[in-house]
Amino acid sequence: GLSFVNSDLVSSVKFSAGGYDARYGDKMSSALDISYRRPKSFGGSASVSLLGASAHVEGASKTEQFTFLAGYRYKTTSYLLNTLETSGDYKPQFSDFQTMLTYSPSRKFEISFLGNYGSNKYQFIPSETDVEFGTKDLPLNLRVYYEGQEVDRFDTYLGALTFNFKPRAGLSLKLITSAFRTSEEETFDILGQYWINELDNTLNSDTYGDSILNVGVGSLLSHARNYLEAMVISLSHVGSYRTEGRHLQWGLSYQYQEFYDNINEWELLDSIGYSIPYDGEQIILSESRRSDNHITYDQFSAFFQNTREINADGADVFITAGLRGTVWNFNQTTMISPRLTISTQPNWKPDMMFHLSGGYYYQPPFYKEMRRPDGSINEDILPQRSIHLLLGGDYIFTMLDRPFKITGEAYYKWLSNVIPYKIENVRIS
């Protein structure tokens, strides 16, 4: 589908492969830092292709107290899916709308709003599957004819309102409120009737490669009505204070999460007139999942970090030490994450910078990570955790009258309590 990053609206995207600061939150592997542009005049863009379209508009008031960004994107991958093993009518459609509004009534105060709506819809009407398998001595063919369709829909809504107060030079105090909602639907009724045939493997035969013997017939009926609603509400304060040679940052956050999950999914397998598994007295489903879960919990987090700048004769050194703490109230888990980064910028002719970083990282599970394959909830689940050690460097140079930066990093990560997942069609479980 579409990623959250809309390249028409952002000014920079910074990716960290590990060893990132305490302010970047509770992620155990990597972090993405997105900065939006501040337009100074009216403008826009539009593009159209066989795979989709996009458009954006931007502008600012005469005094630049008010600025706005808005972008819409549409994407479809129907043309790319016509070569899959199962032929049929594939209609995946992805679209999103994103906006960023800022208003500065004075130099000391600013209000900003970030809004995003994303819709991913998958409609699939299969027609048939034709697969050859087996061995050289016993070549086989599987042919399946289908009836029915699958319609999956995933909608997300995000709104974040930020109040930024700068009472004096170097001091910034932010209050951030945000709400996130996702609505997921997986619905399908598909009947597949299959034939397994032995193929003629006699060279120079007039029927070479054709079916000469039917070795099995059967049917597979799949049904699902799965619905998931999730809501995440957050309230946080983030502060920053800069003095000569020092940068202090801190934050407090409260998050409330609520989930409604209803699963009704089963499969019936019929082989040569018998339901499998065969009981002799009753029809037994080959697979069945049924659950109705309602879960609410909250979490508290806080961080503090200090960056110290040391100016030596041969290089500038930056030392960032931070500590992050999170209380996850689903099963009363407390996570403490110390993190450290040491960077140095030598006084060389090439503009280069080197950094060494590491720390302890936790990631509390989201709802689907807590759900077992049968639909039940793992009450004893633990947050994923990792230890990072990273060594890297940046080289900044000018080419073609434009600035460039080359970044190289090598890292080691020790992970534990890792939660595995499986990708099946468009489902991650």
Side-chain angles (χ1 to χ4, degrees):
L2 295 167
S3 71
F4 185 82
V5 180
N6 187 333
S7 59
D8 293 331
L9 309 182
V10 303
S11 61
S12 68
V13 179
K14 301 176 184 177
F15 174 76
S16 176
Y20 38 89
D21 296 342
R23 64 190 177 99
Y24 281 123
D26 298 310
K27 296 295 180 182
M28 73 162 187
S29 186
S30 59
L32 194 64
D33 189 344
I34 304 170
S35 298
Y36 286 82
R37 293 190 294 108
R38 294 292 297 266
K40 296 184 178 181
S41 60
F42 181 80
S45 67
S47 64
V48 179
S49 71
L50 292 176
L51 298 180
S54 66
H56 99 281
V57 63
E58 62 183 65
S61 62
K62 291 184 179 180
T63 60
E64 296 185 14
Q65 287 183 302
F66 174 74
T67 66
F68 66 90
L69 285 166
Y72 174 79
R73 296 180 295 176
Y74 172 80
K75 177 183 176 182
T76 178
T77 54
S78 298
Y79 297 106
L80 304 178
L81 299 176
N82 291 330
T83 58
L84 293 180
E85 193 173 81
T86 300
S87 61
D89 190 6
Y90 292 85
K91 293 182 179 179
Q93 298 177 347
F94 319 102
S95 62
D96 75 343
F97 175 78
Q98 194 168 142
T99 184
M100 182 70 174
L101 311 174
T102 62
Y103 176 62
S104 303
S106 67
R107 292 184 177 180
K108 293 184 177 182
F109 189 63
E110 180 182 271
I111 304 173
S112 62
F113 173 77
L114 172 64
N116 182 80
Y117 167 70
S119 175
N120 298 331
K121 184 179 180 180
Y122 305 83
Q123 183 178 13
F124 173 43
I125 305 175
S127 58
E128 67 175 275
T129 298
D130 194 353
V131 181
E132 294 185 1
F133 65 103
T135 65
K136 179 181 178 182
D137 296 329
L138 185 62
L140 299 172
N141 170 264
L142 170 67
R143 177 162 293 180
V144 187
Y145 296 96
Y146 297 98
E147 295 180 25
Q149 67 172 338
E150 176 176 359
V151 178
D152 303 325
R153 190 180 185 100
F154 306 89
D155 294 331
T156 59
Y157 310 82
L158 170 68
L161 187 63
T162 302
F163 303 89
N164 189 5
F165 180 51
K166 301 177 181 178
R168 51 178 293 184
L171 178 61
S172 173
L173 304 173
K174 291 183 179 180
L175 179 65
I176 306 170
T177 61
S178 65
F180 169 81
R181 179 177 177 268
T182 180
S183 176
E184 301 184 3
E185 299 180 5
E186 297 176 347
T187 60
F188 54 83
D189 286 286
I190 297 178
L191 172 62
Q193 297 176 316
Y194 63 86
W195 285 260
I196 300 177
N197 300 313
E198 182 180 344
L199 304 179
D200 184 3
N201 64 345
T202 304
L203 295 176
N204 301 323
S205 171
D206 294 337
T207 60
Y208 179 78
D210 293 340
S211 172
I212 57 175
L213 177 66
N214 178 262
V215 296
V217 296
S219 301
L220 175 66
L221 178 60
S222 300
H223 166 90
R225 294 294 185 271
N226 302 332
Y227 304 97
L228 172 65
E229 299 283 342
M231 173 72 75
V232 180
I233 300 175
S234 301
L235 177 65
S236 60
H237 161 67
V238 178
S240 173
Y241 180 58
R242 291 181 180 270
T243 61
E244 186 175 353
R246 191 179 297 273
H247 183 198
L248 301 176
Q249 293 175 278
W250 64 91
L252 300 169
S253 179
Y254 169 77
Q255 190 175 92
Y256 173 80
Q257 301 184 19
E258 185 170 11
F259 305 91
Y260 292 90
D261 185 25
N262 183 268
I263 298 176
N264 182 7
E265 182 176 344
W266 51 262
E267 282 189 357
L268 176 63
L269 180 61
D270 183 302
S271 180
I272 320 181
Y274 292 92
S275 176
I276 298 177
Y278 179 69
D279 181 78
E281 297 181 357
Q282 59 182 341
I283 296 177
I284 300 177
L285 299 174
S286 59
E287 290 187 18
S288 178
R289 293 199 308 158
R290 204 178 276 269
S291 68
D292 190 4
N293 299 321
H294 178 210
I295 295 177
T296 62
Y297 58 85
D298 53 16
Q299 72 180 44
F300 300 86
S301 61
F303 79 89
F304 178 83
Q305 71 178 48
N306 178 27
T307 301
R308 177 73 186 277
E309 180 179 351
I310 302 174
N311 303 116
D313 293 336
D316 296 330
V317 180
F318 305 87
I319 302 175
T320 301
L323 182 67
R324 185 174 188 87
T326 302
V327 177
W328 186 49
N329 284 335
F330 175 73
N331 54 13
Q332 305 302 316
T333 302
T334 301
M335 295 157 275
I336 304 297
S337 304
R339 307 175 188 183
L340 177 66
T341 299
I342 301 175
S343 304
T344 179
Q345 187 171 16
N347 297 328
W348 296 345
K349 182 73 173 181
D351 191 356
M352 304 186 72
M353 192 168 189
F354 305 94
H355 53 271
L356 175 67
S357 60
Y360 213 99
Y361 298 83
Y362 285 93
Q363 181 173 320
F366 203 60
Y367 174 74
K368 282 193 175 181
E369 298 168 304
M370 301 157 55
R371 190 178 68 186
R372 296 188 181 96
D374 63 358
S376 63
I377 303 301
N378 183 3
E379 302 287 348
D380 301 321
I381 194 169
L382 296 174
Q384 302 177 97
R385 61 186 180 189
S386 62
I387 297 176
H388 295 188
L389 182 61
L390 182 140
L391 177 65
D394 300 327
Y395 172 44
I396 302 174
F397 60 97
T398 301
M399 184 173 65
L400 303 176
D401 296 327
R402 295 179 63 87
F404 286 84
K405 181 171 75 169
I406 296 178
T407 298
E409 292 180 330
Y411 58 83
Y412 172 79
K413 298 179 183 179
W414 181 74
L415 297 88
S416 58
N417 296 337
V418 176
I419 303 172
Y421 64 90
K422 179 177 69 174
I423 298 178
E424 178 186 359
N425 196 3
V426 298
R427 173 191 296 174
I428 298 178
S429 59

